[in-house]
Amino acid sequence: MRSSLSSGGTDLHLELPATGSRRAALAGALRDAVRDGRLAPGTRLPPYRALAADLGVARNTVADAYAELVAEGWLTARQGSGTRVADRVVPGRPAARRATAARQAPAAAVVHNLRQGQPDATAFPRTAWVGAVRRALSAAPNDAFGPGDPRGRLELRQALADYLARVRGVRTTPANIVVCSGFAHGLRLLFGGRVLRGPLAVESYGLAFHRALLASAGVRTLPIGLDANGSRTTELPARGGPSAVLLTPAHQFPTGGPLHAERRAGVVDWARGRAGLVLEDDYDGEFRYDREPVGAVQGLDPSHVVYFGSASKSLSPAVRLGWMVLPDHLVDEVLRAKGEREAWAGVTDQLTLAEFITSGGYDKHIRRRRQIYRARRNRLVEALAAHAPHITVTGIAAGLHAVLRLPPGTEAATVEAAARAGIALDGLAAFRHPDATEATPHADGLVVGYAAPTDNGYPRALDALLRVLPAKGA
Amino acid sequence: MRSSLSSGGTDLHLELPATGSRRAALAGALRDAVRDGRLAPGTRLPPYRALAADLGVARNTVADAYAELVAEGWLTARQGSGTRVADRVVPGRPAARRATAARQAPAAAVVHNLRQGQPDATAFPRTAWVGAVRRALSAAPNDAFGPGDPRGRLELRQALADYLARVRGVRTTPANIVVCSGFAHGLRLLFGGRVLRGPLAVESYGLAFHRALLASAGVRTLPIGLDANGSRTTELPARGGPSAVLLTPAHQFPTGGPLHAERRAGVVDWARGRAGLVLEDDYDGEFRYDREPVGAVQGLDPSHVVYFGSASKSLSPAVRLGWMVLPDHLVDEVLRAKGEREAWAGVTDQLTLAEFITSGGYDKHIRRRRQIYRARRNRLVEALAAHAPHITVTGIAAGLHAVLRLPPGTEAATVEAAARAGIALDGLAAFRHPDATEATPHADGLVVGYAAPTDNGYPRALDALLRVLPAKGA
């Protein structure tokens, strides 16, 4: 069925499919015509009767289609002036955005990804995960698909309480765990949600993103020093100043050492002595290579430590699940900050991770990844020993990255040379707190994430890295 | 292998399993003993040699186990005083929290859930979803499991651009869509992220939660009036005052009418005339029962409307996925507010929803739910006509709820009677903006969510509701 509208010099060809609702087809054809500009604003449409005759449809069909488009604002109908194309329609689709096109192109030609904090994306356990989704969704009670509990699903909190006790020495109950979408979300809840207020003592090295997040919540961060025994928690004031400190005790990020045993114990004493808190970012606690993991500081005193963990390193940063283990007195306040319903963590991921943990799949995955990352670390250490023995490598007992100590003054040039060689990585300077004033033992260095490449890509990435390291005596 | 430690009057029985690492087993047994208080703070441990002999293990095994617990802070080792249990260990698990126990109990005995905004939780398409997870994860490129693009996965944005054009008349491109975790997250990004600033014009009825969220971001909300043609967008000022308005044009929430065609067109003209914005909350646009959906206002002028949608009503509020369709000039600012990486929406849900949409599973699910919810709505209308003909029901052309108009002054008592009868629902007053001053056509009313119960529970819920409605002439 075809018709040509002719109005004010505009000829319009309408063609309707042979099957289906006439009204819907006509409305769709008219809508398209208005949208793409074939029917210009102000154009008067033919009377019902005329178009109905042209198309061989009932007059009511045309009337209904016009009414629908009037209701949607495409057309206007005024007494005495018939039906017209509305003035406000802006024809055409928005032009493809140049800025976005640029954004979609890679920012630079990264050939070798040696960024810290990223597990090998090819290693996500797809098949095991799908199996866990299937089992989790078939076992879930119906209320799982109603509005979510802001604490997170009980299945997940139970699995985490058991897992963290077994693997990290965390002492807690499901009632003290609040699920979130990652460490940064946890920080936002605590500080953006005004559960805690600044100032906050932080390590002199850490992620600039976390400092920016705290700053945007109005929290001043005060760096404490760093030496061979880890962050100098002994500097924390017994009164006045910050009453909370954010630490990465198992594996200082990114410099790599563990917090010394005496400082672990001492910082808990400090928090207890002034009703303060240790915020423990256990970002890669499962990946320790040379001996049993150093347990979580949280296990020393669950009432003065907030413990944070996530699936970002163990599974993927694209799985947006994290967890906070809270002292009793903070649980209700964090839930108040989170809101009446779960607005962040999806139920499928929560149930699936719970099933993945309790079925043993999570342990198996981590065990396998630990072996692989340990081998990669060894390869890095051996390659440096063989080809760049003047470069010391530190922070290698754990985690997904190591720090290469560089000759003084060579870091910036080395990072630039790496970028030119297509290697994505960061220098230590990128992590240094802007207010850190003292000299540190980590003046010049590269943070090398050895987990990010694929198994095949890693040897080549390592070769490329060796080629950009400063020569001896540089 | 067994040993009894005897020290300072403390006898301790240690028993190690016959297999596995001796050091790990001993460390574990000691850790447990310290944790649960059997080894009290200050207790001095036996010398390596003595315990090694007792247990029949190498002396180094004991030394290593002690060292591990010292590193973890459970024990302290000082020159000359041997190894002792550290002072700061607080034995025992945190007591189960009373507040949380109370929280876990249902707040009230809800027998019949007639709350607005909740789809039937038993209707989540588990099997089809698992199938979509499987297909999506097996087809996904490896980069899906690396750090996420803050715009959201391209697969999902492409599927949404096509779907929203087809079903809601939205005109956009994947580059203009930003994935988020729901409508509230979208509002937070816009206002908390300082992309937009207040004041914001809002409808005189809406969710108090949204008003609170805006208030906490420092945004003043100014209610506009409401009449039989929908929100009185004609009241919006041509200059000064708010330059953005938040609307639910397809189905005013919760009163239920569509925004009149002239007002739809007019509000877009208003926004265009003062470089303002319409924020279109299309919270249940897919559920329209008596004719084709009213298209999105966004389709009238994509450069002056921000369109919000989510999976909360169509699938489940526990699936934390939403989407914003943005004018070109806002995309980069929203992405800046969101951050460098996806920190919210999980990749599995994103890929799965994309697959669910493109495979037709989403349409099929919505078609089926629409039939069921339409039948429930009809049943409500018929039950009222038969048993409470003095109660008018409005807002029934679309959505998951209807509004029952009550005799003046009876709303509060009816809501209370419903609560006593185990019916969860809200009165209209719960949604009224506190600054709304004028009389409205919705003075007393019940907001009845007919989608929340199960198929079996709905007839009983309806019976219970009929019993608490005010009598004629009340």
Side-chain angles (χ1 to χ4, degrees):
Chain A
M1 284 173 291
R2 300 174 176 204
S3 167
S4 289
L5 305 187
S6 186
S7 174
T10 305
D11 276 342
L12 180 73
H13 178 76
L14 287 181
E15 191 158 345
L16 305 187
T19 57
S21 153
R22 302 292 80 198
R23 184 197 46 65
L26 176 57
L30 287 170
R31 203 184 281 116
D32 287 348
V34 175
R35 236 179 233 165
D36 61 19
R38 282 175 292 146
L39 273 175
T43 306
R44 183 165 173 173
L45 273 76
Y48 306 153
R49 183 196 314 250
L51 187 57
D54 274 2
L55 288 168
V57 300
R59 206 163 63 164
N60 274 352
T61 302
V62 178
D64 286 352
Y66 281 16
E68 183 175 328
L69 269 70
V70 169
E72 294 180 13
W74 301 103
L75 305 179
T76 55
R78 285 214 178 79
Q79 275 311 86
S81 82
T83 307
R84 290 177 181 277
V85 177
D87 278 340
R88 70 279 317 160
V89 174
V90 177
R93 294 195 142 207
R97 301 176 54 255
R98 270 176 309 167
T100 303
R103 182 186 296 273
Q104 278 169 332
V110 172
V111 185
H112 309 290
N113 184 1
L114 290 175
R115 273 211 205 284
Q116 50 71 32
Q118 297 180 22
D120 181 351
T122 66
F124 185 80
R126 302 185 189 209
T127 309
W129 191 257
V130 170
V133 172
R134 186 174 37 72
R135 296 193 303 276
L137 286 200
S138 85
N142 282 321
D143 77 353
F145 302 100
D149 185 330
R151 293 174 300 177
R153 287 296 301 177
L154 181 58
E155 294 92 333
L156 178 57
R157 292 182 288 117
Q158 184 66 58
L160 285 170
D162 293 348
Y163 173 80
L164 295 173
R166 175 165 57 80
V167 172
R168 306 293 302 126
V170 167
R171 293 189 290 152
T172 192
T173 71
N176 291 72
I177 297 180
V178 173
V179 172
C180 54
S181 79
F183 172 75
H185 186 207
L187 269 194
R188 278 193 181 93
L189 288 171
L190 285 182
F191 291 96
R194 300 280 183 272
V195 176
L196 304 180
R197 282 159 204 276
L200 173 69
V202 298
E203 296 174 308
S204 53
Y205 285 80
L207 272 185
F209 167 63
H210 294 160
R211 290 191 296 263
L213 189 160
L214 288 161
S216 79
V219 175
R220 198 153 65 99
T221 55
L222 305 168
I224 55 175
L226 179 68
D227 61 28
N229 290 327
S231 288
R232 283 209 294 271
T233 50
T234 44
E235 291 174 358
L236 292 166
R239 65 186 64 192
S243 64
V245 60
L246 173 60
L247 296 174
T248 50
H251 187 225
Q252 203 284 323
F253 181 84
T255 62
L259 188 64
H260 189 276
E262 282 190 8
R263 288 185 180 170
R264 289 164 56 90
V267 75
V268 169
D269 281 344
W270 168 81
R272 197 178 305 137
R274 58 172 298 173
L277 278 176
V278 177
L279 310 184
E280 179 174 27
D281 178 8
D282 195 37
Y283 66 104
D284 65 1
E286 282 118 340
F287 294 104
R288 180 154 283 272
Y289 304 121
D290 297 325
R291 52 187 197 106
E292 291 290 298
V294 174
V297 167
Q298 193 271 359
L300 299 179
D301 186 350
S303 58
H304 291 90
V305 179
V306 176
Y307 172 95
F308 299 82
S310 84
S312 293
K313 311 291 183 287
S314 57
L315 282 169
S316 159
V319 173
R320 301 310 312 160
L321 278 182
W323 38 90
M324 310 169 74
V325 178
L326 295 161
D328 289 354
H329 69 283
L330 291 182
V331 175
D332 288 335
E333 283 188 83
V334 168
L335 291 175
R336 177 191 51 68
K338 207 172 168 202
E340 257 178 65
R341 296 175 175 190
E342 177 62 70
W344 313 106
V347 71
T348 309
D349 279 348
Q350 291 190 61
L351 294 172
T352 302
L353 182 58
E355 165 64 25
F356 202 50
I357 291 172
T358 52
S359 68
Y362 192 64
D363 283 84
K364 192 173 155 194
H365 173 72
I366 287 173
R367 226 160 33 232
R368 193 180 306 146
R369 297 318 303 165
R370 194 189 292 127
Q371 285 170 6
I372 289 167
Y373 295 147
R374 182 196 283 119
R376 291 193 188 181
R377 179 207 60 166
N378 292 346
R379 188 165 181 149
L380 171 65
V381 171
E382 289 155 16
L384 289 168
H387 303 290
H390 58 293
I391 307 278
T392 317
V393 54
T394 62
I396 59 174
L400 309 184
H401 69 269
V403 174
L404 275 51
R405 307 275 292 278
L406 299 180
T410 63
E411 179 183 310
T414 309
V415 170
E416 269 179 43
R420 280 194 304 274
I423 307 171
L425 50 59
D426 296 295
L428 266 184
F431 302 96
R432 186 174 164 91
H433 194 293
D435 300 339
T437 48
E438 57 173 2
T440 74
H442 300 282
D444 279 73
L446 288 186
V447 181
V448 176
Y450 46 78
T454 62
D455 287 341
N456 285 330
Y458 183 59
R460 285 195 301 275
L462 213 47
D463 287 348
L465 176 66
L466 289 173
R467 281 195 293 273
V468 300
L469 291 178
K472 187 166 184 184
Chain B
M1 284 173 290
R2 300 173 176 207
S3 167
S4 289
L5 304 187
S6 186
S7 173
T10 306
D11 276 342
L12 178 72
H13 178 75
L14 287 183
E15 192 157 344
L16 305 187
T19 57
S21 152
R22 303 292 79 197
R23 184 198 44 66
L26 176 56
L30 287 170
R31 204 184 280 116
D32 286 348
V34 175
R35 237 180 232 164
D36 61 20
R38 283 175 293 147
L39 273 176
T43 306
R44 183 166 173 170
L45 273 77
Y48 306 153
R49 184 197 313 252
L51 187 56
D54 275 4
L55 289 169
V57 299
R59 206 165 61 165
N60 274 352
T61 302
V62 178
D64 286 351
Y66 282 15
E68 183 175 327
L69 270 71
V70 168
E72 294 181 12
W74 301 104
L75 305 179
T76 55
R78 285 216 178 75
Q79 277 309 88
S81 82
T83 306
R84 290 177 181 277
V85 177
D87 279 340
R88 71 279 319 161
V89 174
V90 177
R93 293 194 147 210
R97 303 175 54 252
R98 269 177 309 167
T100 303
R103 183 187 296 271
Q104 277 168 332
V110 172
V111 185
H112 308 291
N113 185 1
L114 290 175
R115 270 210 208 288
Q116 50 70 34
Q118 297 180 23
D120 181 350
T122 65
F124 185 79
R126 300 185 191 211
T127 309
W129 190 259
V130 171
V133 171
R134 186 172 38 71
R135 295 192 305 275
L137 286 200
S138 84
N142 282 320
D143 76 353
F145 303 100
D149 184 329
R151 293 174 298 177
R153 287 296 300 178
L154 180 59
E155 295 91 333
L156 178 57
R157 291 181 289 118
Q158 183 67 60
L160 285 170
D162 293 347
Y163 174 80
L164 295 173
R166 175 166 55 82
V167 172
R168 306 292 303 124
V170 168
R171 292 187 292 152
T172 191
T173 72
N176 290 72
I177 296 180
V178 173
V179 172
C180 55
S181 80
F183 173 74
H185 186 207
L187 268 194
R188 279 193 181 94
L189 289 171
L190 285 183
F191 290 97
R194 299 281 182 273
V195 177
L196 304 180
R197 284 158 203 277
L200 174 68
V202 298
E203 296 174 308
S204 54
Y205 285 80
L207 272 184
F209 167 62
H210 294 159
R211 290 192 294 263
L213 189 162
L214 288 161
S216 79
V219 175
R220 198 154 66 98
T221 55
L222 304 169
I224 54 175
L226 179 68
D227 61 28
N229 290 326
S231 287
R232 282 209 292 273
T233 49
T234 44
E235 292 175 359
L236 292 166
R239 62 188 66 193
S243 64
V245 59
L246 174 60
L247 296 173
T248 49
H251 187 225
Q252 202 286 323
F253 180 85
T255 61
L259 189 63
H260 189 276
E262 282 189 11
R263 289 185 180 171
R264 288 163 57 88
V267 75
V268 168
D269 280 343
W270 169 81
R272 197 180 304 138
R274 59 172 297 173
L277 278 175
V278 177
L279 310 183
E280 179 175 26
D281 178 7
D282 195 38
Y283 65 104
D284 65 0
E286 281 117 340
F287 294 105
R288 180 156 282 272
Y289 303 124
D290 297 325
R291 51 184 199 113
E292 291 290 296
V294 174
V297 167
Q298 193 272 357
L300 298 180
D301 186 351
S303 58
H304 291 92
V305 179
V306 176
Y307 172 95
F308 299 82
S310 84
S312 292
K313 311 292 183 288
S314 57
L315 282 169
S316 159
V319 172
R320 301 310 311 159
L321 278 183
W323 38 90
M324 310 169 73
V325 179
L326 296 161
D328 288 355
H329 69 282
L330 291 181
V331 175
D332 288 336
E333 283 188 82
V334 168
L335 291 174
R336 177 192 52 67
K338 206 173 168 200
E340 259 179 62
R341 295 175 177 191
E342 178 61 68
W344 312 105
V347 71
T348 308
D349 280 347
Q350 291 190 63
L351 293 173
T352 302
L353 181 57
E355 165 63 25
F356 202 50
I357 292 172
T358 52
S359 68
Y362 192 64
D363 283 84
K364 192 174 158 191
H365 173 71
I366 286 173
R367 226 159 33 231
R368 194 180 305 147
R369 297 318 302 164
R370 194 189 293 130
Q371 284 171 6
I372 290 168
Y373 296 146
R374 181 195 285 120
R376 291 193 188 180
R377 180 207 59 165
N378 292 346
R379 188 166 182 147
L380 170 65
V381 171
E382 289 155 13
L384 289 168
H387 302 290
H390 59 294
I391 307 277
T392 317
V393 55
T394 61
I396 59 172
L400 309 183
H401 67 269
V403 174
L404 275 51
R405 307 273 295 275
L406 300 180
T410 63
E411 178 183 310
T414 309
V415 170
E416 268 179 43
R420 281 195 304 273
I423 306 171
L425 50 60
D426 296 295
L428 265 185
F431 301 94
R432 186 174 162 90
H433 195 292
D435 300 339
T437 48
E438 58 175 0
T440 75
H442 300 281
D444 280 73
L446 287 186
V447 180
V448 175
Y450 46 77
T454 61
D455 287 340
N456 285 330
Y458 183 59
R460 285 194 301 276
L462 213 48
D463 289 347
L465 177 66
L466 289 172
R467 281 194 293 273
V468 301
L469 290 179
K472 188 166 183 180

